[in-house]
Amino acid sequence: GLSFSIMLVLIIVLIGVGINSLSKINQNMDEIVNVANVRTKLANNMTANVREVSIALRTILLDKNKTSLEEQKKRIDEYRKSYDEDLIKYEALVTKDKTKILEEISKVKVLCNETRALDNIVFALATEGKYDAALVELLNNARPKVKEWIDNVDLLVILEDKSTSEQYQNAQNVYAKVRFIMFLFGFIALVVAATIAFLLTGSITKPL
């Protein structure tokens, strides 16, 4: 009874270690696939929307006609709406322990408000037919602020890549650890099983 109890305990330990380790590995993989990768995609979408708004403004200044202005205004509103929706989704996926990412989001929000205010000035000047003044405002104020905004959103992507690498490394570490434990307990189980077999055999054959 003692012999089989020892084997049973070893089997239970192996099962417990295996299940716990698989759970941790699955958690890390889930973080990579369903969180980090999604946030990276959203951040890239945000950058694309910012660039499209800048292109729309330049198109207005190049075309210099009312029809183009109205069309580009609709496009700008759509890109801004898409950006805002992506930012909300992105922020919802960020946990409180991701302090660096949260700090960067705060900077991005400030730059978003500042850049849109400058873009609105450019658009207002273009609406009044002051295309030269609008171009000066775009080149001197709006464009540098847009670049700063995009750089900060791109930094979010860099942070996401770093987070993904860390999660993957954590999964690898857990795998290496559980593999070692499984080999160790497997070896112990084999030694114990061989010893039990030897003792049981001896306890039967010796009296006979």
Side-chain angles (χ1 to χ4, degrees):
L2 178 62
S3 300
F4 285 108
S5 295
I6 292 172
M7 291 301 297
L8 183 61
V9 169
L10 287 172
I11 292 171
I12 292 172
V13 170
L14 282 171
I15 293 173
V17 170
I19 292 174
N20 183 59
S21 299
L22 285 173
S23 176
K24 289 181 179 179
I25 293 173
N26 181 66
Q27 183 179 353
N28 285 320
M29 292 297 103
D30 183 72
E31 176 75 17
I32 292 172
V33 175
N34 297 321
V35 179
N37 286 350
V38 174
R39 289 200 306 246
T40 300
K41 182 179 179 180
L42 290 170
N44 284 324
N45 288 344
M46 289 158 59
T47 299
N49 286 323
V50 175
R51 294 184 189 278
E52 290 296 336
V53 170
S54 296
I55 292 172
L57 283 173
R58 289 198 294 270
T59 301
I60 289 172
L61 299 182
L62 288 172
D63 290 347
K64 296 181 180 180
N65 65 71
K66 188 175 181 181
T67 302
S68 175
L69 189 146
E70 292 175 352
E71 290 176 354
Q72 297 304 323
K73 179 64 169 63
K74 291 179 181 178
R75 292 184 62 195
I76 289 172
D77 290 340
E78 290 174 359
Y79 291 132
R80 286 181 173 180
K81 181 181 178 182
S82 178
Y83 175 94
D84 292 339
E85 290 174 351
D86 287 340
L87 180 58
I88 291 172
K89 293 176 184 176
Y90 183 96
E91 197 170 8
L93 291 172
V94 180
T95 54
K96 293 182 179 179
D97 59 306
K98 304 290 184 181
T99 53
K100 289 185 178 180
I101 293 178
L102 290 172
E103 289 174 3
E104 198 58 35
I105 289 174
S106 299
K107 294 179 183 178
V108 167
K109 286 181 177 180
V110 172
L111 287 168
C112 174
N113 293 331
E114 292 176 352
T115 304
R116 285 184 178 179
L118 293 171
D119 285 347
N120 290 339
I121 293 173
V122 173
F123 183 81
L125 290 170
T127 303
E128 296 172 4
K130 301 176 181 178
Y131 293 104
D132 291 337
L135 181 60
V136 171
E137 180 67 24
L138 177 67
L139 296 176
N140 294 342
N141 298 317
R143 189 175 181 180
K145 188 63 68 174
V146 168
K147 184 180 182 306
E148 186 180 356
W149 185 11
I150 290 174
D151 288 343
N152 277 265
V153 177
D154 287 342
L155 184 56
L156 286 175
V157 177
I158 294 173
L159 292 173
E160 291 300 342
D161 289 340
K162 183 179 179 181
S163 177
T164 300
S165 298
E166 290 174 353
Q167 291 293 335
Y168 177 76
Q169 188 59 51
N170 288 338
Q172 289 292 94
N173 292 339
V174 172
Y175 169 73
K177 184 178 179 181
V178 72
R179 185 176 61 179
F180 172 77
I181 293 174
M182 296 290 277
F183 276 126
L184 178 62
F185 275 91
F187 176 75
I188 293 173
L190 285 173
V191 172
V192 171
T195 303
I196 291 172
F198 177 78
L199 292 174
L200 285 176
T201 303
S203 69
I204 294 171
T205 57
K206 189 175 181 181
L208 291 175

